[in-house]
Amino acid sequence: MSNSTNQLTQSIPTLNETQLTKLNQAITGLDQTQLIWASGYLFGVAQQGLAAGAPAQGSQESKVLTILYGSQTGNAEYLAKDHKKRLEAEGYPVRIVSMADYKPKDLKKESHLLVIVSTHGEGEPPDDAAELWEFLGSKKASKLDGLKFAVVALGDSSYEFFCQTGKDFDTRIAKQGATALKPRLDCDVDYLESANAFITELTSSIKDELSAATQAATPIAGVSVASAESAYNKLNPFTATLLTSVKITGRDSVKDIRHIEISLADSGLQYQPGDALGVWFENDAALVDEIVALTKNRAETEVTLKEGALSLAEALKGKLELTLSYPGFVRAYAEAIGNAELKALSDDRNKLRDYLVDRQIIDVIREYPAEIPAQQLVESLRPLTPRLYSIASSQAEVEDEVHLTIGLVEYEAYGKPHLGGASGYLCKHLEEGDNVRVYVESNKHFRLPEDPNTPIIMVGPGTGIAPFRSFLQQREAEEAEGKNWLFFGNPNFTQDFLYQVEIQKYVKSGLLDKVSLAFSRDQQEKIYVQHRMIEAGKELYEWLEQGAHFYVCGDANRMAKDVNDALVSIVKTHGNKNDKEAEQYVNDLRRAKRYQKDVY
C-alpha cells in the first residue's frame, strides 16, 4: 500500500482485511485533488464514527473535543464551524453538533466539551438549544463528574439579560459536577476577536490530554478539504446591486413597508426558503456630521481601528454602530467626557435601561455634547454589525435575485426625526442601481418539510410574511401536493394587505388552501392572528394531527408568545388534554421540528 494510502487509512476506524482491500482498490489511481478530497471525507467519517461509538467517559479513545452550538442568527454556528476547521487542521480530534441534533443524555459520555451559545430575546435560549437547556435544568440532568468544559456565551449588551443563556449553561453544567477548563467568556456583538483568542487558548491548554486520540486520527498534512460553500460570507460580503425598492403599504398606512429586490448575479450565492440575507450598511452622512460637530472634532482626523488607520468620518460612517444604543457606550462616553450626571445614570442599571428604551446613540450625544478626542470617541463605540432579514423569495422563482420585505424604522423623538440604521439605508438612502454588500445566512431550523405532501401552517403578521412568500413560491415551483394555510395580520385591509395580489392568485390556483386574515384596526375591538387561530382551532388541530408543520415569523416579544399560548390553548381544547399534556404536545412538535420559529 502506498504512503498516501497509509496516511488515508490513519483517518478511518479499524477495518478488516476485506474492507482494506476494497479501500485500496477504490483509491488506487486517484489524482492529487481526488486524494485530498478523499482524505478529508474519510477523516470526517472517522470523527462521526468516534462520536457514534464513543466508549465510557474517561477512556483514552473518548478524549474528543465536542463543540456544541446553539444559534438563532448563525453567529454561534459560524464560530463553531470555523474553529472545527482550524482544530482539525492542527490534528485535534474534534466533532461539532448543533444542540438541536444532540441527545442530552449523551453529555455523560463526553470528556471535553466546548459550548458556544447565543441568547435570544429577553434571556431565552435559541430554539435549537431549548431542549438541552431544559434538560440541564431538570431533575433528569445527568451527573457529569468526569466532564471538562468551557462556555462561550454570545449576546448583545443592549438587552437586559446579556448572555443569559450562556450563563445558564455554565451554571447548570457545573452544578452536575463538571469541571470548568476556563471561566466563561461573555461576548458582545463584536465577538470574533475575543472568542477566537479564548478558544485558541482553551484548545492549547488541553492539547496534551487529547494527544493520544490525535495521533490516531491525524489528517494528511496541509490538506484543505474542499467546500461547496460560496466564497462570500459575513466577513467577505458580495457587492450586489439594488434593483427595486417600492413601498407596498398605502398612503395612509401607519407603517412604511418596502419590497426590495437585489441582484446576486455572478455571485454564486445560493439560498433556501427560510434563510436570511445579511446586509452591511452605512450610517447616514448627516448623522456622522452631527456627531463630529457635537464632539468638537474634525471629519478628517485620523483614528485607528482594528482595520487600521482611517479618518474619523470614514470610521463613523462605515465601521461603528451609531443607531442602536447600549449600556457600554453610555458608560464609556460618560467616563471620557467626565460628566458626573451621566456617570451616575450609567451606574444605575434600571435607570439606564429605561433611559435607553427609545434613545439612539445620537440622542445621548445631543443631550450631553462635549469635546472628546477622536480616538476616545471611536473607542467608546462598538463595531458596526450587519442586519439580518428573512428572505422573501425562492430561487426556483427569481433565480439570481433575492427579495426582502422591510419595515422602515422611522419616528420622531426628542424633537428630532430618527431612522433605523439598516432600514433607513436600504429604504431611504440607496437608489436603484446602487451597490449593497450582502451575504446569505443559512437557517436550517426554519425549513419546509422534506416531504412536499406534508401540510403546513404559516403564521406571519406584518413583515413576518416574508419567508412564507418564499415557501409558497417554492411549493408552487415544486408542484407540492401538501396543503398550505396562511395566517396574516396588519392594521388595515385597504392599506396594509401585503402581497395581496399574489396571495389571491395562490388562492385561485389552489396552492393556498386557506387564508386567515386579521386586520386589527378595521373594527372597534382589535383582532390579531392568535385570535383567528383560536376561532379556527378545531380545524387547526386536525391539520396538526394530520402531520402539519407549524411556522411562526415576526415579533418575538409579544406576537410569538401570544401565538404559542394560542397554540397550547387549541391543543388543550380540541385535543381534550390538560395543561401539562397540551404543553407536552407542543414541545413534542418542537422536538420533531414540526414547530419552527423565525422571530426577531
Side-chain angles (χ1 to χ4, degrees):
M1 190 176 287
S2 70
N3 184 52
S4 294
T5 304
N6 251 336
Q7 289 175 307
L8 277 171
T9 55
Q10 288 176 0
S11 294
I12 58 177
T14 304
L15 304 178
N16 60 36
E17 186 173 348
T18 300
Q19 291 170 322
L20 281 172
T21 300
K22 289 183 177 179
L23 175 64
N24 191 27
Q25 291 171 345
I27 64 177
T28 299
L30 294 182
D31 62 29
Q32 181 64 21
T33 301
Q34 293 168 326
L35 195 60
I36 287 174
W37 178 89
S39 69
Y41 171 78
L42 292 171
F43 182 64
V45 170
Q47 301 312 305
Q48 290 178 352
L50 193 58
Q57 194 177 37
S59 66
Q60 269 201 344
E61 291 83 355
S62 69
K63 297 277 179 77
V64 176
L65 175 64
T66 295
I67 303 177
L68 268 181
Y69 69 86
S71 187
Q72 193 72 29
T73 61
N75 289 336
E77 181 177 5
Y78 167 80
L79 196 59
K81 289 181 175 179
D82 180 58
H83 278 279
K84 177 179 182 289
K85 292 177 184 176
R86 297 188 192 192
L87 294 171
E88 283 180 344
E90 295 176 22
Y92 284 90
V94 58
R95 69 170 182 145
I96 178 175
V97 190
S98 165
M99 291 182 181
D101 302 323
Y102 190 78
K103 294 180 180 179
K105 291 184 178 179
D106 284 349
L107 275 175
K108 61 180 179 289
K109 301 177 184 178
E110 306 289 356
S111 65
H112 295 76
L113 179 69
L114 172 60
V115 173
I116 305 176
V117 65
S118 62
T119 293
H120 180 54
E122 296 300 324
E124 300 167 1
D127 292 341
D128 56 1
E131 184 177 358
L132 183 60
W133 179 82
E134 290 172 1
F135 174 82
L136 283 167
S138 72
K139 294 179 181 179
K140 297 180 181 179
S142 310
K143 287 296 180 185
L144 304 173
D145 295 338
L147 176 67
K148 296 181 180 181
F149 79 102
V151 175
V152 174
L154 304 184
D156 183 339
S157 62
S158 62
Y159 288 89
E160 179 180 1
F161 299 100
F162 175 57
C163 287
Q164 187 60 50
T165 300
K167 294 173 183 177
D168 290 344
F169 271 100
D170 189 36
T171 301
R172 293 177 183 185
I173 292 173
K175 186 178 179 180
Q176 298 310 119
T179 302
L181 290 160
K182 284 174 65 66
R184 182 189 70 250
L185 175 68
D186 293 339
C187 299
D188 210 336
V189 292
D190 51 337
Y191 62 90
L192 273 178
E193 185 174 350
S194 58
N196 286 341
F198 178 93
I199 296 172
T200 299
E201 185 178 329
L202 168 73
T203 50
S204 177
S205 71
I206 61 174
K207 189 168 187 177
D208 290 342
E209 297 178 38
L210 301 176
S211 60
T214 303
Q215 292 167 8
T218 303
I220 297 176
V223 166
S224 176
V225 181
S227 172
E229 296 178 359
S230 167
Y232 300 105
N233 52 42
K234 182 178 181 178
L235 299 182
N236 181 38
F238 173 67
T239 301
T241 303
L242 180 70
L243 298 175
T244 301
S245 176
V246 58
K247 185 180 179 184
I248 54 175
T249 44
R251 181 189 306 172
D252 298 323
S253 174
V254 295
K255 297 183 176 184
D256 185 339
I257 297 177
R258 308 294 178 98
H259 173 75
I260 288 177
E261 299 180 1
I262 294 170
S263 172
L264 300 178
D266 302 323
S267 70
L269 284 169
Q270 300 290 312
Y271 59 85
Q272 296 184 50
D275 286 345
L277 189 75
V279 177
W280 285 97
F281 64 98
E282 293 182 349
N283 290 307
D284 183 8
L287 187 64
V288 170
D289 291 342
E290 185 177 2
I291 290 176
V292 170
L294 288 172
T295 57
K296 296 180 172 56
N297 275 294
R298 298 174 61 189
E300 63 271 21
T301 299
E302 186 176 279
V303 294
T304 303
L305 301 179
K306 295 173 185 176
E307 298 87 348
L310 65 170
S311 74
L312 175 60
E314 290 172 329
L316 294 176
K317 187 174 182 181
K319 301 296 182 182
L320 300 167
E321 180 65 68
L322 298 185
T323 48
L324 293 178
S325 57
Y326 52 98
F329 165 72
V330 179
R331 296 188 185 103
Y333 184 70
E335 189 70 32
I337 66 175
N339 186 289
E341 179 183 339
L342 190 58
K343 179 73 165 60
L345 175 64
S346 70
D347 289 339
D348 188 317
R349 179 179 174 181
N350 293 328
K351 286 184 178 179
L352 180 58
R353 184 178 68 249
D354 293 340
Y355 175 78
L356 293 177
V357 165
D358 59 352
R359 282 179 170 85
Q360 294 185 340
I361 284 172
I362 183 61
D363 294 310
V364 180
I365 298 176
R366 283 170 179 159
E367 191 171 352
Y368 298 96
E371 183 173 356
I372 175 175
Q375 187 63 36
Q376 270 191 285
L377 174 62
V378 300
E379 288 175 358
S380 70
L381 297 164
R382 67 185 184 188
L384 191 69
T385 54
R387 305 294 195 256
L388 293 176
Y389 292 100
S390 301
I391 291 175
S393 56
S394 163
Q395 284 190 301
E397 170 78 17
V398 303
E399 298 182 343
D400 61 358
E401 295 179 7
V402 62
H403 297 177
L404 305 176
T405 311
I406 297 179
L408 173 64
V409 177
E410 186 174 26
Y411 60 96
E412 290 278 335
Y414 309 103
K416 296 281 189 177
H418 290 67
L419 279 178
S423 69
Y425 175 72
L426 286 167
C427 301
K428 287 279 194 177
H429 298 145
L430 285 187
E431 301 287 342
E432 293 181 2
D434 285 348
N435 292 334
V436 55
R437 295 175 299 146
V438 302
Y439 63 97
V440 171
E441 186 69 68
S442 176
N443 184 1
K444 65 181 181 180
H445 303 301
F446 200 76
R447 288 281 185 259
L448 280 165
E450 291 184 9
D451 183 354
N453 296 315
T454 302
I456 63 173
I457 302 167
M458 304 164 281
V459 183
T463 57
I465 197 174
F468 303 134
R469 184 174 184 263
S470 75
F471 279 19
L472 291 169
Q473 287 184 357
Q474 185 72 22
R475 287 209 134 182
E476 182 179 50
E478 293 178 348
E479 299 181 350
E481 295 294 328
K483 296 188 296 183
N484 304 297
W485 187 349
L486 174 67
F487 286 84
F488 173 74
N490 236 350
N492 300 107
F493 175 85
T494 57
Q495 302 293 321
D496 307 302
F497 194 167
L498 307 183
Y499 302 115
Q500 179 181 358
V501 173
E502 292 181 17
I503 290 172
Q504 290 173 330
K505 181 194 75 171
Y506 289 141
V507 171
K508 186 175 181 179
S509 71
L511 179 70
L512 259 175
D513 296 83
K514 287 185 69 67
V515 178
S516 298
L517 302 172
F519 292 102
S520 59
R521 301 188 185 185
D522 278 351
Q523 60 284 312
Q524 188 172 359
E525 184 178 349
K526 291 184 178 179
I527 296 176
Y528 298 108
V529 287
Q530 63 268 22
H531 300 131
R532 296 302 189 205
M533 287 173 56
I534 295 291
E535 290 173 1
K538 183 176 183 294
E539 186 174 4
L540 194 153
Y541 182 71
E542 289 172 354
W543 278 47
L544 292 175
E545 287 291 278
Q546 294 165 12
H549 286 215
F550 185 84
Y551 300 89
V552 184
C553 182
D555 172 58
N557 294 327
R558 296 186 60 182
M559 183 277 296
K561 293 177 182 178
D562 291 340
V563 166
N564 186 81
D565 291 344
L567 183 61
V568 173
S569 176
I570 288 167
V571 171
K572 178 183 176 182
T573 301
H574 299 285
N576 296 316
K577 302 181 188 300
N578 60 34
D579 291 340
K580 185 176 181 181
E581 290 169 339
E583 290 280 1
Q584 185 62 49
Y585 184 99
V586 172
N587 285 336
D588 288 344
L589 289 178
R590 188 179 293 110
R591 291 188 182 97
K593 299 181 181 179
R594 289 177 52 204
Y595 178 10
Q596 300 181 27
K597 295 185 292 184
D598 177 13
V599 295
Y600 38 84

